[in-house]
Amino acid sequence: MAFQDFDQISERRRLERKQRLKQRIIIGVVVIVLLVSGAIAAFLIYLNSSQADEPEEPVDNVEPVNNENSNNDQNKDNSSGDVKDKDTNVLQNQKVIKSICQSTDYQETCASHLEKSLSSKPSGLPKPNDFVTAAISAASDELDNAITQATTFLNIEKAPDNQKATFEVCNQVLLDAQNDFFHSKNSTSGITSALDLRSWLSAVMTYQQTCIDAITEDATRTSIEEALKTSKELTSNSLAIIASLHKEAPSPAAETPRRLLSRDQDFPVWMTYETRRLLKADTPSLKPNVTVAKGGSGDFDTVSKALEALPENYQGRYVIHVKEGVYEENVIVNKTMVNITMYGDGSQKTIITGNKNFVDGIPTFLTATFAVIGEGFMAQSIGFRNTAGPEKHQAVALRVQSDRSIFLNCRMEGYQDTLYVQTHRQFYRGCYIMGTIDFIFGDAAAILQTCDIVIRKPMKNQKNTVTAQGRIDKHQTTGIVLQKCKIFADKSLEGEKSKILSYLGRPWKEYSRTIVLESEIDDVIQSDGWLPWEGEFALQTLYYAEFKNIGKGSRVKDRVKWAGYQTDFKKEEAVRYTVSQFIQGESWLKGVDVPIHYDVCNRSTTNIYEQC
């Protein structure tokens, strides 16, 4: 039976092969017939079309068609075709622009300015980066126009004496806005990141609002607001367009920051080995370029003189050692002073102090004892102090608008508005910050990690608020994050903390955003946690959240019931506000030899300083 079965199988396979061969022959014949038929049909079509193109013989008694007129008619036909193609491209562009502008808050402004900006571009659909470039250019041009309008009522020389300082602030921050627009426009065609662009444009939004806030005279303020209205709208639109077109590099939501434009390259890691060594110890031994010391034992006797002596176009990191002493001066690290490292002999030994304040007629912006603008600033083991006292109201110890700036083991002392985290990306580690009202405020993307947040005793009938974050637009990438910090009462308040009310923060602007992560909160903080600014302002639009905090003041059961307060804040959301994602710290902090927390812990812990 086995052999018979084998023979049957063999015969069946022979017949199957024969059948398959027959099928292949039939298919081949059919294909050949179809190809030949197609070739013949194509030839006949070509022949007919050639005959149709040939000019007909003139009919008797009819004048031949004039060649010039014939050419004109042909040109008209070609011209009408070009017009038709152009009209088609315009319609396509309008549809794409309308679609892109749907992500913005000011759609009419978006569409009209994008159409105008792209009308001069070559025909064809623009690429995504063309829309980004056009949006930023339109916003930048509008800011230039606004500044031109503003010169008529921001003339410092003609201003009343009580307005000169406010005009100075407004002019200064508008120039800062222009500078960030310049960076943005020059980066859209080169190597850059969507997160870089959004950081710069977020700062532009803040600078424009800072100008408006500085003006105290109503009529002038109204004029400034009107002049900047379209510019602010276009800047907001630019932020929205970048976020919508480049989903691979969203705001603080992506797990790993990716590139916006065509080339794939990380942010420059600008910290040298020697700089990393400097950050490792409390008392750095790095050899400085210059020293500052009281009594003539250093190269300079003030910090300001050391900065003024900075070599022009200096390459690399410029290191300044400020020796032990109290330096009574107001210092500005201006925008040309980039990559400055400044270290002292201890935050309670090397102290830079001043007492400028709002009550004495100085705008809050200009009260800072120490102001940092130049990119890449680093400070370690220095104290920044404003001694004006609570009765002088706003009095800033440290104002920072330096992008990718670091403060390590520093001390900021004041009362109201101690630390002004104004713009850009900032990182604070192991710092001691003390004050009363809104004493950590501003509109930067700032993370304070393992810091002591110390609440002092305010004046009678005042309430304390740790933060006052100032985000004015929902597309900005800004916010204040307190991670693994300790929030507690100063000795001056300890005995009266049950009588004097203290809160984690209040919304300075409409989209205020503050996150408290894995921190220890003392019972100095009220059970409802957060304080309104005025009435219902911003309570629907703010974004406040707490995650895995400990301490008697950390219970969220009785927290405020505002729509903007996040009651279901999980780890998936918390990681968006970590060093690695919120300020892209792994690209510019990586390699710093200090125990930076890039993520949030996966476990509950009673030790907030524990490395995860």
Side-chain angles (χ1 to χ4, degrees):
M1 289 295 295
F3 287 104
Q4 289 177 357
D5 289 343
F6 180 78
D7 290 340
Q8 291 173 0
I9 292 171
S10 298
E11 178 64 16
R12 187 168 66 249
R13 287 179 177 173
R14 185 183 66 80
L15 292 173
E16 288 173 352
R17 285 196 298 271
K18 184 177 179 180
Q19 182 67 22
R20 283 197 299 270
L21 178 61
K22 184 178 179 180
Q23 289 174 346
R24 287 181 186 140
I25 292 171
I26 293 171
I27 292 170
V29 170
V30 172
V31 169
I32 291 170
V33 170
L34 289 173
L35 290 173
V36 170
S37 300
I40 292 170
F43 175 75
L44 291 173
I45 291 169
Y46 170 76
L47 185 62
N48 289 335
S49 112
S50 297
Q51 289 175 346
D53 289 341
E54 290 179 3
E56 295 181 357
E57 290 294 327
V59 181
D60 291 343
N61 301 323
V62 178
E63 289 293 326
V65 177
N66 183 278
N67 287 337
E68 183 176 348
N69 291 338
S70 176
N71 290 337
N72 287 340
D73 291 342
Q74 187 174 1
N75 289 338
K76 288 178 182 178
D77 291 341
N78 291 338
S79 176
S80 63
D82 291 342
V83 170
K84 185 177 180 181
D85 291 342
K86 186 175 181 181
D87 289 343
T88 301
N89 285 335
V90 169
L91 289 173
Q92 288 177 328
N93 283 348
Q94 288 175 344
K95 287 181 180 179
V96 175
I97 288 171
K98 184 178 180 181
S99 175
I100 286 173
C101 289
Q102 286 180 350
S103 66
T104 68
D105 294 339
Y106 308 98
Q107 295 184 17
E108 290 184 8
T109 306
C110 173
S112 62
H113 283 77
L114 279 186
E115 286 177 12
K116 182 179 178 181
S117 297
L118 293 169
S119 62
S120 60
K121 300 290 181 184
S123 60
L125 286 176
K127 297 177 181 178
N129 285 344
D130 293 332
F131 290 105
V132 173
T133 302
I136 294 174
S137 295
S140 177
D141 291 344
E142 191 59 39
L143 177 64
D144 292 342
N145 294 335
I147 290 174
T148 300
Q149 294 178 46
T151 54
T152 59
F153 38 83
L154 286 180
N155 190 321
I156 296 177
E157 293 180 359
K158 296 181 179 180
D161 289 342
N162 64 344
Q163 292 293 315
K164 289 184 184 295
T166 61
F167 286 12
E168 179 186 344
V169 172
C170 200
N171 282 306
Q172 181 177 328
V173 294
L174 290 180
L175 289 176
D176 291 333
Q178 281 185 314
N179 188 58
D180 274 351
F181 264 142
F182 175 80
H183 285 316
S184 302
K185 288 194 296 184
N186 283 276
S187 296
T188 53
S189 58
I191 301 172
T192 193
S193 158
L195 294 166
D196 259 347
L197 288 176
R198 295 179 72 191
S199 173
W200 295 331
L201 294 173
S202 294
V204 170
M205 292 289 293
T206 306
Y207 291 139
Q208 293 177 87
Q209 188 61 45
T210 302
C211 169
I212 295 169
D213 290 344
I215 305 300
T216 56
E217 197 271 318
D218 290 342
T220 305
R221 182 188 177 98
T222 300
S223 298
I224 289 291
E225 284 183 308
E226 185 60 33
L228 291 173
K229 179 178 180 294
T230 304
S231 174
K232 289 176 67 179
E233 290 180 358
L234 289 171
T235 308
S236 171
N237 288 346
S238 298
L239 283 162
I241 289 170
I242 293 170
S244 66
L245 287 180
H246 300 280
K247 298 294 186 183
E248 71 272 19
S251 66
E255 291 192 4
T256 303
R258 292 175 60 189
R259 310 310 297 169
L260 164 62
L261 301 178
S262 57
R263 303 180 194 175
D264 187 11
Q265 181 171 325
D266 289 334
F267 293 124
V269 180
W270 41 261
M271 291 189 182
T272 64
Y273 171 74
E274 289 300 322
T275 300
R276 295 168 195 164
R277 276 202 324 135
L278 178 146
L279 288 174
K280 187 174 182 179
D282 285 340
T283 53
S285 58
L286 181 67
K287 183 179 179 180
N289 294 82
V290 295
T291 59
V292 178
K294 306 289 288 186
S297 61
D299 299 299
F300 302 95
D301 58 2
T302 69
V303 177
S304 296
K305 288 179 182 177
L307 289 169
E308 290 168 4
L310 176 69
E312 188 175 353
N313 299 320
Y314 183 84
Q315 298 299 311
R317 200 147 263 284
Y318 195 79
V319 181
I320 300 173
H321 177 198
V322 185
K323 293 185 176 180
E324 180 176 353
V326 177
Y327 299 83
E328 297 181 15
E329 55 178 312
N330 290 88
V331 179
I332 299 177
V333 181
N334 67 43
K335 68 178 64 178
T336 66
M337 300 173 180
V338 299
N339 293 334
I340 300 289
T341 294
M342 190 177 295
Y343 70 94
D345 292 334
S347 64
Q348 292 182 277
K349 294 180 179 179
T350 298
I351 300 168
I352 302 170
T353 185
N355 62 3
K356 290 184 177 181
N357 62 85
F358 184 78
V359 171
D360 289 346
I362 301 173
T364 304
F365 183 91
L366 297 178
T367 63
T369 299
F370 197 98
V372 187
I373 305 170
E375 181 181 2
F377 180 82
M378 300 169 60
Q380 182 180 4
S381 304
I382 296 177
F384 305 97
R385 183 183 290 172
N386 191 311
T387 60
E391 67 279 3
K392 295 292 187 176
H393 299 292
Q394 296 95 323
V396 177
L398 174 65
R399 176 170 63 83
V400 183
Q401 65 186 79
S402 168
D403 195 16
R404 298 182 301 173
S405 51
I406 301 173
F407 292 83
L408 178 67
N409 297 339
C410 289
R411 189 179 180 97
M412 301 83 173
E413 295 182 40
Y415 285 87
Q416 184 171 347
D417 293 0
T418 303
L419 173 59
Y420 188 177
V421 291
Q422 189 187 1
T423 54
H424 295 122
R425 292 161 289 195
Q426 306 176 17
F427 178 70
Y428 299 78
R429 173 80 186 188
C431 293
Y432 187 95
I433 305 150
M434 63 191 311
T436 54
I437 301 170
D438 306 337
F439 65 95
I440 302 172
F441 78 109
D443 194 24
I447 294 184
L448 289 73
Q449 201 171 89
T450 63
C451 292
D452 284 351
I453 313 295
V454 187
I455 304 174
R456 307 176 87 167
K457 183 179 178 180
M459 291 194 300
K460 189 177 181 180
N461 297 324
Q462 286 186 330
K463 298 175 183 178
N464 289 320
T465 45
V466 175
T467 65
Q469 206 280 328
R471 193 167 66 132
I472 65 169
D473 188 277
K474 67 183 180 183
H475 301 294
Q476 287 180 283
T477 58
T478 57
I480 293 173
V481 179
L482 308 180
Q483 185 181 21
K484 293 185 175 293
C485 293
K486 287 186 176 182
I487 302 171
F488 59 96
D490 178 59
K491 290 181 180 179
S492 64
L493 178 62
E494 182 65 36
E496 299 185 57
K497 62 184 180 182
S498 60
K499 301 176 184 177
I500 298 173
L501 306 183
S502 299
Y503 300 86
L504 292 172
R506 59 176 180 159
W508 181 25
K509 300 296 180 184
E510 187 175 3
Y511 292 93
S512 180
R513 179 161 61 182
T514 303
I515 319 294
V516 184
L517 305 172
E518 305 170 315
S519 294
E520 183 177 339
I521 305 174
D522 187 44
D523 59 1
V524 66
I525 298 297
Q526 295 298 301
S527 60
D528 47 352
W530 306 83
L531 184 69
W533 185 269
E534 184 177 0
E536 296 295 313
F537 172 75
L539 304 187
Q540 304 295 316
T541 52
L542 59 77
Y543 190 97
Y544 289 165
E546 301 172 59
F547 179 76
K548 283 193 175 180
N549 298 307
I550 61 172
K552 293 180 180 179
S554 68
R555 290 187 292 270
V556 297
K557 179 176 177 291
D558 297 322
R559 288 296 195 247
V560 292
K561 309 303 180 186
W562 306 336
Y565 180 77
Q566 308 302 302
T567 57
D568 189 26
F569 192 75
K570 295 184 170 60
K571 184 187 175 185
E572 292 74 19
E573 185 70 13
V575 295
R576 301 180 181 187
Y577 301 98
T578 56
V579 168
S580 123
Q581 295 188 30
F582 192 53
I583 58 173
Q584 303 84 56
E586 284 186 292
S587 61
W588 54 280
L589 289 170
K590 201 168 186 178
V592 180
D593 203 359
V594 294
I596 297 170
H597 299 283
Y598 289 96
D599 208 335
V600 292
C601 284
N602 290 316
R603 59 190 181 279
S604 298
T605 176
T606 57
N607 181 6
I608 62 169
Y609 294 145
E610 183 179 351
Q611 185 72 25
C612 300

